[in-house]
Amino acid sequence: MKMHTFHPIKISPHDKLITLIGSNPHVLLLLEHLNLPLLVGNQKIESYCTKNNIDTNLFITLLTLYIGLPLPTDISLPASELPSIVKLLKNSHHYYLHEKYIEIKNKIHEMHLVNPEPELSWVEKFFEDYMAEVREHLDYEEHTAFPYFLSLTQGKMSNNFQFSAKDYLNHHSDIEIKLADLKQLLLAHLPVAEDYKARRQTLQCLMELEFDLKVHTLIEEKILVPLVIQLEEQLK
Amino acid sequence: MRIPKGHNILIIDPSEVILNGLSTLMHQLVVGEPRLSTSWDEALKIKNLADIRLGIIGSGLIHEWVFRKSSILKAFENARWAAFIYAPCYYEQDPHLDGVLKINDSSDTIRSGLKSLLSIDKPEEPQQPLSEREIEVLQLLVQGKSQKEIAHQLNLSIHTVNSHRKNISEKTGIKSIAGLTLFALSQKYILP
Ligand SMILES: [Fe+2]
Ligand SMILES: [Fe+2]
């Protein structure tokens, strides 16, 4: 006997953007990553998309991720959306390297200034090493993977680069694990002195980075990679 | 395994439709009636708050739970908390939530989620110290030794080394070698 069927909640093209932002401030970051206007006024999603030349389906899929709902299982986006997705990803790379990295680095340093325990200077090093690894991954994407993906949309398939989805996913999980470890160290193991405020701010920044990275990775793994595989199949 | 009792469970949301839906699912898993409430003020007047072992909070009252958390957690001292999300919500990652159920999930998924929430009592987690053997393995691990090398050096099987490694990560909550290195330094298991 089937007791209950729940109907999934979906964002509708008729929802107002301002209402969504009100309960989900992360949406602001999405607009920024997409270079879309911040003054959303009273517009419904559909007319906002039309006015700003972005595919409504793609936008709703991204909104769904940014408000923390699971990715719909039935997404199907045309390969023509690939360049917009790549642009969004590149903008978020910029946000990691030029905004979050500096913010977190400064916060960790502040923490160390008020807490002289030697452990705190190792945190600085840990974070530097971590970011070096992130930077390497982002570089690989921007200089190797993304150009290859874009060339596929132009019907070209280069022979000298073999994209491996598996390696790609491994990079991602490494990045996620280290960030989680840093949070764990700050909340469970490293001695606290007068650094309550700086540590809170560090953790808040880390969690903002973590949230955006998580969504970023989902976009790459669940939206971008399937599109790439589909294009590769077509070109074979 | 003992069957959980309804009166140890609180379901709270302003919507009666949500309350009824969840309590119907709950009926298949527990004996007796779960307690239902449409507001926190009402819930806090329940007798024997300490009897509540599991609280399921609907989207409609999760904000208030977050803002009144310190007093609510104190009042329901033995409760684990799970959220039932049916509207966009900013608080799913809250560290005091032991589970998140979503309206998009199939009722099977929700049922098994409830089941696992019911089967575990509120865990007490004193930080468990590492055993001497685990410390030895950790020291070698953060020096960059492979599991095979460690097994050889300590005269253990690779399998044993691997299970030490797992326990170390479980006890410390840290998975990466870089993270474990910082941990080992902070515990003075290794020198900088
Ligand atoms: Fe990326
Ligand atoms: Fe990536």
Side-chain angles (χ1 to χ4, degrees), chain A residues 3-4 6 8-9 23-26 67-68 70 119 122 126 177-178 181 184-185 188-190 214, chain B residues 21 24 28 86 88-90 92 102-103 107 110 127 172-176 178-179 182-183 185-186 192:
Chain A
M3 298 294 297
H4 271 264
F6 288 116
I9 291 248
S23 46
N24 303 279
H26 291 305
I67 66 176
E119 281 89 342
W122 303 329
F126 180 97
I177 286 172
K178 291 212 176 101
D181 281 355
Q184 176 73 9
L185 283 159
H189 301 297
L190 299 180
K214 210 173 253 174
Chain B
T24 308
Q28 307 168 3
Y86 58 83
C89 168
Y90 190 49
E92 282 171 37
K102 295 193 172 172
I103 201 160
S107 39
I110 295 182
Q127 215 142 357
T172 57
I174 300 172
K175 292 192 184 132
S176 66
L182 233 173
F183 171 78
L185 279 165
S186 75

mmCIF file of all heavy atoms in Angstrom, chain A residues 3-4 6 8-9 23-26 67-68 70 119 122 126 177-178 181 184-185 188-190 214, chain B residues 21 24 28 86 88-90 92 102-103 107 110 127 172-176 178-179 182-183 185-186 192:
data_model
loop_
_atom_site.group_PDB
_atom_site.id
_atom_site.type_symbol
_atom_site.label_atom_id
_atom_site.label_comp_id
_atom_site.label_asym_id
_atom_site.label_seq_id
_atom_site.Cartn_x
_atom_site.Cartn_y
_atom_site.Cartn_z
ATOM 1 N N MET A 3 1.422 4.886 0.858
ATOM 2 C CA MET A 3 0.775 5.786 1.808
ATOM 3 C C MET A 3 0.735 7.230 1.334
ATOM 4 O O MET A 3 -0.273 7.886 1.362
ATOM 5 C CB MET A 3 1.493 5.736 3.156
ATOM 6 C CG MET A 3 1.467 4.395 3.810
ATOM 7 S SD MET A 3 -0.208 3.935 4.275
ATOM 8 C CE MET A 3 -0.577 5.239 5.458
ATOM 9 N N HIS A 4 1.886 7.701 0.901
ATOM 10 C CA HIS A 4 1.960 9.130 0.641
ATOM 11 C C HIS A 4 2.795 9.408 -0.576
ATOM 12 O O HIS A 4 3.865 8.859 -0.727
ATOM 13 C CB HIS A 4 2.651 9.844 1.809
ATOM 14 C CG HIS A 4 1.692 10.256 2.848
ATOM 15 N ND1 HIS A 4 1.149 11.496 2.915
ATOM 16 C CD2 HIS A 4 1.166 9.556 3.869
ATOM 17 C CE1 HIS A 4 0.323 11.563 3.936
ATOM 18 N NE2 HIS A 4 0.316 10.399 4.540
ATOM 19 N N PHE A 6 4.699 12.548 -2.063
ATOM 20 C CA PHE A 6 4.981 13.963 -1.864
ATOM 21 C C PHE A 6 5.260 14.614 -3.204
ATOM 22 O O PHE A 6 5.959 14.053 -4.039
ATOM 23 C CB PHE A 6 6.206 14.139 -0.961
ATOM 24 C CG PHE A 6 5.909 13.794 0.457
ATOM 25 C CD1 PHE A 6 6.546 12.728 1.072
ATOM 26 C CD2 PHE A 6 4.993 14.541 1.182
ATOM 27 C CE1 PHE A 6 6.260 12.411 2.377
ATOM 28 C CE2 PHE A 6 4.719 14.216 2.496
ATOM 29 C CZ PHE A 6 5.345 13.153 3.092
ATOM 30 N N PRO A 8 7.187 17.226 -5.315
ATOM 31 C CA PRO A 8 8.385 18.031 -5.127
ATOM 32 C C PRO A 8 8.093 19.522 -5.256
ATOM 33 O O PRO A 8 7.275 19.920 -6.067
ATOM 34 C CB PRO A 8 9.300 17.579 -6.258
ATOM 35 C CG PRO A 8 8.441 16.822 -7.192
ATOM 36 C CD PRO A 8 7.248 16.364 -6.477
ATOM 37 N N ILE A 9 8.752 20.290 -4.438
ATOM 38 C CA ILE A 9 8.643 21.738 -4.538
ATOM 39 C C ILE A 9 9.608 22.200 -5.615
ATOM 40 O O ILE A 9 10.756 21.796 -5.637
ATOM 41 C CB ILE A 9 9.041 22.385 -3.206
ATOM 42 C CG1 ILE A 9 8.002 22.061 -2.158
ATOM 43 C CG2 ILE A 9 9.270 23.869 -3.367
ATOM 44 C CD1 ILE A 9 7.213 23.234 -1.697
ATOM 45 N N SER A 23 14.941 35.004 1.429
ATOM 46 C CA SER A 23 15.196 33.895 2.346
ATOM 47 C C SER A 23 16.478 33.145 2.007
ATOM 48 O O SER A 23 16.866 32.235 2.733
ATOM 49 C CB SER A 23 13.995 32.940 2.377
ATOM 50 O OG SER A 23 13.568 32.688 1.074
ATOM 51 N N ASN A 24 17.124 33.499 0.913
ATOM 52 C CA ASN A 24 18.341 32.785 0.511
ATOM 53 C C ASN A 24 19.406 33.732 -0.031
ATOM 54 O O ASN A 24 19.582 33.849 -1.241
ATOM 55 C CB ASN A 24 18.027 31.759 -0.579
ATOM 56 C CG ASN A 24 16.983 30.777 -0.128
ATOM 57 O OD1 ASN A 24 17.288 29.821 0.571
ATOM 58 N ND2 ASN A 24 15.745 31.045 -0.485
ATOM 59 N N PRO A 25 20.098 34.435 0.851
ATOM 60 C CA PRO A 25 21.070 35.433 0.413
ATOM 61 C C PRO A 25 22.135 34.893 -0.555
ATOM 62 O O PRO A 25 22.725 35.669 -1.299
ATOM 63 C CB PRO A 25 21.718 35.916 1.701
ATOM 64 C CG PRO A 25 21.201 35.055 2.796
ATOM 65 C CD PRO A 25 20.005 34.342 2.310
ATOM 66 N N HIS A 26 22.363 33.570 -0.565
ATOM 67 C CA HIS A 26 23.344 33.017 -1.504
ATOM 68 C C HIS A 26 22.993 33.336 -2.956
ATOM 69 O O HIS A 26 23.867 33.318 -3.819
ATOM 70 C CB HIS A 26 23.433 31.498 -1.380
ATOM 71 C CG HIS A 26 24.037 31.032 -0.089
ATOM 72 N ND1 HIS A 26 25.266 31.458 0.336
ATOM 73 C CD2 HIS A 26 23.579 30.183 0.854
ATOM 74 C CE1 HIS A 26 25.531 30.877 1.496
ATOM 75 N NE2 HIS A 26 24.525 30.113 1.835
ATOM 76 N N ILE A 67 19.777 27.697 -3.526
ATOM 77 C CA ILE A 67 18.969 27.782 -2.316
ATOM 78 C C ILE A 67 19.038 26.469 -1.533
ATOM 79 O O ILE A 67 18.302 26.267 -0.582
ATOM 80 C CB ILE A 67 17.503 28.166 -2.587
ATOM 81 C CG1 ILE A 67 16.779 27.079 -3.371
ATOM 82 C CG2 ILE A 67 17.426 29.481 -3.352
ATOM 83 C CD1 ILE A 67 15.314 27.408 -3.545
ATOM 84 N N GLY A 68 19.948 25.603 -1.923
ATOM 85 C CA GLY A 68 20.214 24.425 -1.094
ATOM 86 C C GLY A 68 19.285 23.255 -1.337
ATOM 87 O O GLY A 68 19.263 22.308 -0.564
ATOM 88 N N PRO A 70 18.067 19.894 -3.549
ATOM 89 C CA PRO A 70 18.792 18.946 -4.393
ATOM 90 C C PRO A 70 18.541 19.233 -5.867
ATOM 91 O O PRO A 70 17.506 19.780 -6.231
ATOM 92 C CB PRO A 70 18.201 17.593 -3.997
ATOM 93 C CG PRO A 70 16.939 17.881 -3.286
ATOM 94 C CD PRO A 70 17.001 19.273 -2.770
ATOM 95 N N GLU A 119 50.552 26.614 16.951
ATOM 96 C CA GLU A 119 49.611 25.905 16.075
ATOM 97 C C GLU A 119 49.001 26.840 15.032
ATOM 98 O O GLU A 119 48.733 26.453 13.907
ATOM 99 C CB GLU A 119 48.453 25.296 16.883
ATOM 100 C CG GLU A 119 48.776 24.009 17.588
ATOM 101 C CD GLU A 119 49.343 24.249 18.976
ATOM 102 O OE1 GLU A 119 49.798 25.388 19.255
ATOM 103 O OE2 GLU A 119 49.335 23.305 19.780
ATOM 104 N N TRP A 122 50.819 27.297 11.904
ATOM 105 C CA TRP A 122 50.697 26.141 11.007
ATOM 106 C C TRP A 122 49.388 26.206 10.242
ATOM 107 O O TRP A 122 49.291 25.698 9.129
ATOM 108 C CB TRP A 122 50.797 24.830 11.812
ATOM 109 C CG TRP A 122 52.049 24.728 12.598
ATOM 110 C CD1 TRP A 122 53.270 25.260 12.276
ATOM 111 C CD2 TRP A 122 52.217 24.084 13.865
ATOM 112 N NE1 TRP A 122 54.184 24.979 13.257
ATOM 113 C CE2 TRP A 122 53.572 24.258 14.250
ATOM 114 C CE3 TRP A 122 51.373 23.371 14.709
ATOM 115 C CZ2 TRP A 122 54.081 23.752 15.435
ATOM 116 C CZ3 TRP A 122 51.868 22.861 15.894
ATOM 117 C CH2 TRP A 122 53.219 23.063 16.243
ATOM 118 N N PHE A 126 48.889 25.660 6.429
ATOM 119 C CA PHE A 126 47.911 24.690 5.918
ATOM 120 C C PHE A 126 47.036 25.345 4.861
ATOM 121 O O PHE A 126 46.811 24.799 3.780
ATOM 122 C CB PHE A 126 47.030 24.179 7.071
ATOM 123 C CG PHE A 126 45.984 23.165 6.668
ATOM 124 C CD1 PHE A 126 46.212 21.811 6.824
ATOM 125 C CD2 PHE A 126 44.762 23.571 6.148
ATOM 126 C CE1 PHE A 126 45.249 20.873 6.467
ATOM 127 C CE2 PHE A 126 43.798 22.651 5.780
ATOM 128 C CZ PHE A 126 44.043 21.295 5.943
ATOM 129 N N ILE A 177 37.609 17.669 1.117
ATOM 130 C CA ILE A 177 38.055 17.033 2.363
ATOM 131 C C ILE A 177 38.958 17.963 3.170
ATOM 132 O O ILE A 177 38.814 18.101 4.385
ATOM 133 C CB ILE A 177 38.771 15.697 2.050
ATOM 134 C CG1 ILE A 177 37.741 14.643 1.646
ATOM 135 C CG2 ILE A 177 39.566 15.208 3.256
ATOM 136 C CD1 ILE A 177 38.349 13.361 1.134
ATOM 137 N N LYS A 178 39.881 18.627 2.496
ATOM 138 C CA LYS A 178 40.817 19.482 3.244
ATOM 139 C C LYS A 178 40.120 20.666 3.900
ATOM 140 O O LYS A 178 40.477 21.069 5.003
ATOM 141 C CB LYS A 178 41.935 19.970 2.323
ATOM 142 C CG LYS A 178 42.837 18.829 1.930
ATOM 143 C CD LYS A 178 44.266 19.268 1.710
ATOM 144 C CE LYS A 178 45.132 18.056 1.414
ATOM 145 N NZ LYS A 178 45.439 17.883 -0.004
ATOM 146 N N ASP A 181 38.488 19.431 6.921
ATOM 147 C CA ASP A 181 39.500 19.178 7.953
ATOM 148 C C ASP A 181 39.888 20.465 8.671
ATOM 149 O O ASP A 181 40.056 20.481 9.892
ATOM 150 C CB ASP A 181 40.760 18.551 7.332
ATOM 151 C CG ASP A 181 40.580 17.068 7.065
ATOM 152 O OD1 ASP A 181 39.531 16.520 7.445
ATOM 153 O OD2 ASP A 181 41.494 16.458 6.471
ATOM 154 N N GLN A 184 37.279 21.352 11.098
ATOM 155 C CA GLN A 184 37.338 20.427 12.232
ATOM 156 C C GLN A 184 38.488 20.788 13.181
ATOM 157 O O GLN A 184 38.335 20.784 14.402
ATOM 158 C CB GLN A 184 37.515 18.998 11.688
ATOM 159 C CG GLN A 184 37.692 17.921 12.739
ATOM 160 C CD GLN A 184 36.401 17.598 13.477
ATOM 161 O OE1 GLN A 184 35.332 18.051 13.099
ATOM 162 N NE2 GLN A 184 36.513 16.823 14.555
ATOM 163 N N LEU A 185 39.640 21.137 12.608
ATOM 164 C CA LEU A 185 40.793 21.512 13.438
ATOM 165 C C LEU A 185 40.461 22.744 14.282
ATOM 166 O O LEU A 185 40.765 22.796 15.469
ATOM 167 C CB LEU A 185 42.018 21.779 12.560
ATOM 168 C CG LEU A 185 42.723 20.531 12.041
ATOM 169 C CD1 LEU A 185 43.563 20.834 10.812
ATOM 170 C CD2 LEU A 185 43.594 19.907 13.135
ATOM 171 N N ALA A 188 37.723 21.680 16.943
ATOM 172 C CA ALA A 188 37.874 20.566 17.858
ATOM 173 C C ALA A 188 39.276 20.422 18.442
ATOM 174 O O ALA A 188 39.429 19.821 19.508
ATOM 175 C CB ALA A 188 37.485 19.269 17.162
ATOM 176 N N HIS A 189 40.289 20.933 17.792
ATOM 177 C CA HIS A 189 41.630 20.558 18.227
ATOM 178 C C HIS A 189 42.581 21.698 18.555
ATOM 179 O O HIS A 189 43.434 21.547 19.414
ATOM 180 C CB HIS A 189 42.288 19.665 17.173
ATOM 181 C CG HIS A 189 41.511 18.407 16.889
ATOM 182 N ND1 HIS A 189 41.282 17.443 17.850
ATOM 183 C CD2 HIS A 189 40.889 17.974 15.766
ATOM 184 C CE1 HIS A 189 40.561 16.450 17.315
ATOM 185 N NE2 HIS A 189 40.313 16.751 16.059
ATOM 186 N N LEU A 190 42.479 22.806 17.858
ATOM 187 C CA LEU A 190 43.513 23.813 18.048
ATOM 188 C C LEU A 190 43.173 24.742 19.211
ATOM 189 O O LEU A 190 42.044 25.202 19.334
ATOM 190 C CB LEU A 190 43.694 24.638 16.762
ATOM 191 C CG LEU A 190 44.118 23.792 15.561
ATOM 192 C CD1 LEU A 190 44.281 24.658 14.337
ATOM 193 C CD2 LEU A 190 45.407 23.024 15.849
ATOM 194 N N LYS A 214 30.827 23.921 -2.962
ATOM 195 C CA LYS A 214 29.990 22.738 -3.064
ATOM 196 C C LYS A 214 29.059 22.866 -4.269
ATOM 197 O O LYS A 214 28.920 21.939 -5.069
ATOM 198 C CB LYS A 214 29.186 22.588 -1.767
ATOM 199 C CG LYS A 214 28.866 21.154 -1.432
ATOM 200 C CD LYS A 214 28.220 21.050 -0.069
ATOM 201 C CE LYS A 214 29.173 20.463 0.950
ATOM 202 N NZ LYS A 214 28.637 20.464 2.313
ATOM 203 N N GLY B 21 0.707 14.414 7.718
ATOM 204 C CA GLY B 21 1.489 13.590 6.790
ATOM 205 C C GLY B 21 2.633 12.906 7.524
ATOM 206 O O GLY B 21 2.839 11.700 7.410
ATOM 207 N N THR B 24 1.499 10.250 10.014
ATOM 208 C CA THR B 24 1.087 9.002 9.356
ATOM 209 C C THR B 24 2.301 8.126 9.060
ATOM 210 O O THR B 24 2.299 6.919 9.324
ATOM 211 C CB THR B 24 0.360 9.305 8.024
ATOM 212 O OG1 THR B 24 -0.677 10.226 8.282
ATOM 213 C CG2 THR B 24 -0.198 8.053 7.415
ATOM 214 N N GLN B 28 3.926 4.150 11.190
ATOM 215 C CA GLN B 28 4.396 2.839 10.730
ATOM 216 C C GLN B 28 5.670 2.415 11.440
ATOM 217 O O GLN B 28 6.098 1.292 11.332
ATOM 218 C CB GLN B 28 4.676 2.892 9.219
ATOM 219 C CG GLN B 28 3.489 3.404 8.455
ATOM 220 C CD GLN B 28 3.866 3.734 7.023
ATOM 221 O OE1 GLN B 28 4.984 3.538 6.591
ATOM 222 N NE2 GLN B 28 2.903 4.230 6.274
ATOM 223 N N TYR B 86 10.253 21.594 3.328
ATOM 224 C CA TYR B 86 9.324 21.631 2.197
ATOM 225 C C TYR B 86 9.288 23.000 1.541
ATOM 226 O O TYR B 86 8.521 23.266 0.639
ATOM 227 C CB TYR B 86 7.918 21.197 2.626
ATOM 228 C CG TYR B 86 7.317 22.013 3.741
ATOM 229 C CD1 TYR B 86 6.675 23.213 3.495
ATOM 230 C CD2 TYR B 86 7.409 21.564 5.066
ATOM 231 C CE1 TYR B 86 6.139 23.961 4.524
ATOM 232 C CE2 TYR B 86 6.885 22.313 6.098
ATOM 233 C CZ TYR B 86 6.239 23.516 5.822
ATOM 234 O OH TYR B 86 5.725 24.249 6.838
ATOM 235 N N PRO B 88 12.069 26.527 0.564
ATOM 236 C CA PRO B 88 13.464 26.965 0.574
ATOM 237 C C PRO B 88 13.923 27.363 1.977
ATOM 238 O O PRO B 88 13.208 28.059 2.678
ATOM 239 C CB PRO B 88 13.448 28.177 -0.357
ATOM 240 C CG PRO B 88 12.331 27.905 -1.288
ATOM 241 C CD PRO B 88 11.300 27.148 -0.513
ATOM 242 N N CYS B 89 15.084 26.887 2.346
ATOM 243 C CA CYS B 89 15.497 27.068 3.732
ATOM 244 C C CYS B 89 16.993 27.275 3.792
ATOM 245 O O CYS B 89 17.769 26.655 3.077
ATOM 246 C CB CYS B 89 15.122 25.821 4.507
ATOM 247 S SG CYS B 89 15.860 25.739 6.120
ATOM 248 N N TYR B 90 17.389 28.144 4.670
ATOM 249 C CA TYR B 90 18.774 28.557 4.763
ATOM 250 C C TYR B 90 19.513 27.791 5.853
ATOM 251 O O TYR B 90 20.705 27.922 6.015
ATOM 252 C CB TYR B 90 18.768 30.063 5.076
ATOM 253 C CG TYR B 90 20.093 30.740 4.974
ATOM 254 C CD1 TYR B 90 20.900 30.561 3.858
ATOM 255 C CD2 TYR B 90 20.539 31.564 5.995
ATOM 256 C CE1 TYR B 90 22.112 31.197 3.768
ATOM 257 C CE2 TYR B 90 21.756 32.212 5.913
ATOM 258 C CZ TYR B 90 22.540 32.032 4.804
ATOM 259 O OH TYR B 90 23.736 32.658 4.712
ATOM 260 N N GLU B 92 19.682 24.384 6.582
ATOM 261 C CA GLU B 92 19.852 22.932 6.532
ATOM 262 C C GLU B 92 21.178 22.441 7.068
ATOM 263 O O GLU B 92 21.308 21.311 7.479
ATOM 264 C CB GLU B 92 19.764 22.467 5.084
ATOM 265 C CG GLU B 92 18.370 22.404 4.608
ATOM 266 C CD GLU B 92 18.350 22.165 3.125
ATOM 267 O OE1 GLU B 92 19.209 21.411 2.643
ATOM 268 O OE2 GLU B 92 17.482 22.748 2.464
ATOM 269 N N LYS B 102 13.585 15.695 3.139
ATOM 270 C CA LYS B 102 13.094 16.665 2.166
ATOM 271 C C LYS B 102 11.829 16.186 1.506
ATOM 272 O O LYS B 102 11.670 15.004 1.237
ATOM 273 C CB LYS B 102 14.169 16.908 1.106
ATOM 274 C CG LYS B 102 15.376 17.546 1.724
ATOM 275 C CD LYS B 102 16.318 18.088 0.709
ATOM 276 C CE LYS B 102 17.376 18.872 1.465
ATOM 277 N NZ LYS B 102 18.453 19.306 0.639
ATOM 278 N N ILE B 103 10.967 17.157 1.212
ATOM 279 C CA ILE B 103 9.682 16.801 0.628
ATOM 280 C C ILE B 103 9.847 16.197 -0.759
ATOM 281 O O ILE B 103 9.020 15.401 -1.189
ATOM 282 C CB ILE B 103 8.734 18.021 0.622
ATOM 283 C CG1 ILE B 103 7.303 17.533 0.510
ATOM 284 C CG2 ILE B 103 9.115 19.012 -0.460
ATOM 285 C CD1 ILE B 103 6.267 18.491 0.947
ATOM 286 N N SER B 107 8.593 8.683 -0.276
ATOM 287 C CA SER B 107 8.214 8.377 1.105
ATOM 288 C C SER B 107 9.072 7.246 1.664
ATOM 289 O O SER B 107 9.301 7.169 2.856
ATOM 290 C CB SER B 107 6.721 8.098 1.252
ATOM 291 O OG SER B 107 6.236 7.371 0.171
ATOM 292 N N ILE B 110 12.117 8.940 3.062
ATOM 293 C CA ILE B 110 11.792 9.626 4.308
ATOM 294 C C ILE B 110 11.607 8.613 5.429
ATOM 295 O O ILE B 110 12.114 8.785 6.536
ATOM 296 C CB ILE B 110 10.525 10.490 4.131
ATOM 297 C CG1 ILE B 110 10.846 11.597 3.124
ATOM 298 C CG2 ILE B 110 10.056 11.062 5.451
ATOM 299 C CD1 ILE B 110 9.731 12.560 2.878
ATOM 300 N N GLN B 127 35.648 13.246 23.397
ATOM 301 C CA GLN B 127 36.683 13.034 22.400
ATOM 302 C C GLN B 127 37.538 11.840 22.823
ATOM 303 O O GLN B 127 38.127 11.844 23.893
ATOM 304 C CB GLN B 127 37.550 14.261 22.265
ATOM 305 C CG GLN B 127 37.986 14.448 20.851
ATOM 306 C CD GLN B 127 37.991 15.922 20.479
ATOM 307 O OE1 GLN B 127 37.621 16.776 21.255
ATOM 308 N NE2 GLN B 127 38.402 16.232 19.317
ATOM 309 N N THR B 172 39.440 11.600 15.259
ATOM 310 C CA THR B 172 39.818 13.011 15.186
ATOM 311 C C THR B 172 38.875 13.825 14.291
ATOM 312 O O THR B 172 38.832 15.042 14.395
ATOM 313 C CB THR B 172 41.232 13.175 14.586
ATOM 314 O OG1 THR B 172 41.234 12.556 13.292
ATOM 315 C CG2 THR B 172 42.285 12.511 15.445
ATOM 316 N N GLY B 173 38.123 13.135 13.424
ATOM 317 C CA GLY B 173 37.281 13.848 12.468
ATOM 318 C C GLY B 173 38.087 14.426 11.315
ATOM 319 O O GLY B 173 37.601 15.274 10.578
ATOM 320 N N ILE B 174 39.343 13.988 11.161
ATOM 321 C CA ILE B 174 40.204 14.549 10.120
ATOM 322 C C ILE B 174 40.628 13.464 9.137
ATOM 323 O O ILE B 174 41.049 12.389 9.545
ATOM 324 C CB ILE B 174 41.450 15.197 10.747
ATOM 325 C CG1 ILE B 174 40.987 16.307 11.694
ATOM 326 C CG2 ILE B 174 42.379 15.769 9.687
ATOM 327 C CD1 ILE B 174 42.100 16.875 12.512
ATOM 328 N N LYS B 175 40.514 13.773 7.844
ATOM 329 C CA LYS B 175 40.774 12.728 6.855
ATOM 330 C C LYS B 175 42.076 12.908 6.089
ATOM 331 O O LYS B 175 42.728 11.937 5.742
ATOM 332 C CB LYS B 175 39.633 12.671 5.847
ATOM 333 C CG LYS B 175 38.326 12.170 6.436
ATOM 334 C CD LYS B 175 37.351 11.875 5.312
ATOM 335 C CE LYS B 175 35.993 11.455 5.870
ATOM 336 N NZ LYS B 175 34.903 12.199 5.217
ATOM 337 N N SER B 176 42.439 14.151 5.773
ATOM 338 C CA SER B 176 43.598 14.343 4.900
ATOM 339 C C SER B 176 44.911 14.234 5.672
ATOM 340 O O SER B 176 44.953 14.471 6.882
ATOM 341 C CB SER B 176 43.519 15.716 4.228
ATOM 342 O OG SER B 176 43.656 16.734 5.202
ATOM 343 N N ALA B 178 47.410 16.241 5.301
ATOM 344 C CA ALA B 178 47.765 17.601 5.724
ATOM 345 C C ALA B 178 47.056 17.955 7.037
ATOM 346 O O ALA B 178 47.667 18.511 7.954
ATOM 347 C CB ALA B 178 47.393 18.599 4.637
ATOM 348 N N GLY B 179 45.784 17.600 7.129
ATOM 349 C CA GLY B 179 45.028 17.874 8.347
ATOM 350 C C GLY B 179 45.558 17.069 9.523
ATOM 351 O O GLY B 179 45.704 17.579 10.641
ATOM 352 N N LEU B 182 48.729 18.574 10.968
ATOM 353 C CA LEU B 182 48.475 19.679 11.892
ATOM 354 C C LEU B 182 47.981 19.159 13.238
ATOM 355 O O LEU B 182 48.363 19.649 14.304
ATOM 356 C CB LEU B 182 47.416 20.597 11.282
ATOM 357 C CG LEU B 182 47.785 22.066 11.204
ATOM 358 C CD1 LEU B 182 46.766 22.859 10.450
ATOM 359 C CD2 LEU B 182 47.965 22.628 12.597
ATOM 360 N N PHE B 183 47.141 18.146 13.180
ATOM 361 C CA PHE B 183 46.650 17.546 14.419
ATOM 362 C C PHE B 183 47.805 16.965 15.230
ATOM 363 O O PHE B 183 47.936 17.205 16.435
ATOM 364 C CB PHE B 183 45.619 16.460 14.102
ATOM 365 C CG PHE B 183 45.228 15.642 15.303
ATOM 366 C CD1 PHE B 183 44.334 16.148 16.241
ATOM 367 C CD2 PHE B 183 45.788 14.381 15.511
ATOM 368 C CE1 PHE B 183 43.991 15.394 17.371
ATOM 369 C CE2 PHE B 183 45.450 13.634 16.642
ATOM 370 C CZ PHE B 183 44.554 14.151 17.565
ATOM 371 N N LEU B 185 50.936 17.710 15.148
ATOM 372 C CA LEU B 185 51.751 18.794 15.688
ATOM 373 C C LEU B 185 51.099 19.366 16.942
ATOM 374 O O LEU B 185 51.773 19.561 17.977
ATOM 375 C CB LEU B 185 51.883 19.912 14.651
ATOM 376 C CG LEU B 185 52.921 19.740 13.546
ATOM 377 C CD1 LEU B 185 52.668 20.729 12.425
ATOM 378 C CD2 LEU B 185 54.335 19.900 14.110
ATOM 379 N N SER B 186 49.801 19.591 16.861
ATOM 380 C CA SER B 186 49.121 20.245 17.983
ATOM 381 C C SER B 186 49.101 19.338 19.223
ATOM 382 O O SER B 186 49.072 19.819 20.350
ATOM 383 C CB SER B 186 47.706 20.655 17.596
ATOM 384 O OG SER B 186 46.872 19.521 17.562
ATOM 385 N N PRO B 192 57.725 20.142 15.127
ATOM 386 C CA PRO B 192 57.629 20.974 13.928
ATOM 387 C C PRO B 192 58.906 20.918 13.094
ATOM 388 O O PRO B 192 59.977 20.705 13.625
ATOM 389 C CB PRO B 192 57.387 22.389 14.434
ATOM 390 C CG PRO B 192 57.468 22.359 15.910
ATOM 391 C CD PRO B 192 57.595 20.936 16.374
#
